[in-house]
Amino acid sequence: MTEPDKPYPFDTAIYVDQMSAFLRLPIPPELRDGVIDNLERIWDIAQPVIEFPLPDDLEAAPTFEP
């Protein structure tokens, strides 16, 4: 579904259909709506991370240390 509050038009259903074909990963018709709903939930959950401001001079760490 295209949502006006997103930074660009994105039709989740079209994306799911295209990626399913591209990956040759068929989605049974009875599960397709659930896949679309979950992808939209993932979008909503990811927004705070995507929108978190980072300084322009930020450098990536050379190594990962947990």
Side-chain angles (χ1 to χ4, degrees):
M1 117 184 13
T2 302
E3 297 183 26
D5 59 333
K6 293 188 178 173
Y8 52 88
F10 182 79
D11 189 320
T12 311
I14 291 173
Y15 179 79
V16 166
D17 293 340
Q18 290 176 341
M19 290 308 295
S20 172
F22 177 75
L23 296 171
R24 296 183 185 165
L25 181 66
I27 299 173
E30 66 272 14
L31 300 179
R32 182 176 173 271
D33 288 343
V35 172
I36 292 167
D37 290 343
N38 281 306
L39 190 58
E40 290 174 350
R41 276 192 205 103
I42 290 168
W43 171 273
D44 293 337
I45 291 167
Q47 285 315 292
V49 175
I50 292 170
E51 294 171 356
F52 187 82
L54 296 174
D56 292 333
D57 60 346
L58 184 70
E59 294 184 26
T63 58
F64 174 74
E65 297 178 22

